[in-house]
Amino acid sequence: MNQAEICARIPHSGSMCLLAGVEGWDDTQIHCIAVSHRDAHNPLRSRDQLHAVCGVEYAAQAMALHGALLAGDDAAPSMGFLASVRDLRLTTARLDTVADDLRIHATRLDGGADGFIYEFTVKAREQLL
């Protein structure tokens, strides 16, 4: 799945659609790739840098995409909200200095009509978040 196909399934468009592709997914997990962290025009940049905490948005988009894929091809993109982040560990200060592509892995742990619970990692050569 390429970026255009991803943007058609989540409520993010243009440069705010941060994911470049999907490496694989199933009923419980999704594996995405991103390259936009190296883009000097990344909309999440502040003070000419991309702080590592912005990796949470990459993970949130992977989770949203997973939900959209589970909903099927006929489902329209819908807005969702990230209600909480717990036990977040950053092993780097910035993402824009990471030369390798980002690999975002999200696993759905639980969920229902009220929402979903995921765990995620953002990696390059090593785990970043």
Side-chain angles (χ1 to χ4, degrees), residues 39-97:
D39 185 347
H41 301 292
N42 184 308
L44 300 179
R45 288 176 70 97
S46 176
R47 296 187 180 138
D48 202 34
Q49 64 181 359
L50 184 64
H51 194 279
V53 77
C54 294
V56 173
E57 177 61 24
Y58 283 83
Q61 289 190 23
M63 293 177 234
L65 178 59
H66 187 247
L69 291 169
L70 289 173
D73 289 336
D74 296 333
S78 62
M79 293 294 290
F81 299 95
L82 184 62
S84 173
V85 177
R86 296 180 185 166
D87 299 322
L88 179 64
R89 290 182 295 277
L90 307 175
T91 63
T92 187
R94 296 173 60 174
L95 295 179
D96 57 308
T97 59

Side-chain angles (χ1 to χ4, degrees), residues 1-2 5-6 9-10 19-33 58-70 102-109 118-123:
M1 180 175 294
N2 63 36
E5 294 168 317
I6 292 169
R9 287 177 168 83
I10 62 174
L19 304 175
V22 175
E23 296 179 313
W25 69 281
D26 61 27
D27 287 345
T28 59
Q29 58 187 339
I30 189 165
H31 307 282
C32 299
I33 189 167
Y58 283 83
Q61 289 190 23
M63 293 177 234
L65 178 59
H66 187 247
L69 291 169
L70 289 173
L102 298 181
R103 303 250 188 269
I104 302 98
H105 307 280
T107 302
R108 190 174 74 177
L109 303 176
Y118 280 86
E119 68 179 4
F120 69 87
T121 60
V122 178
K123 299 179 180 181

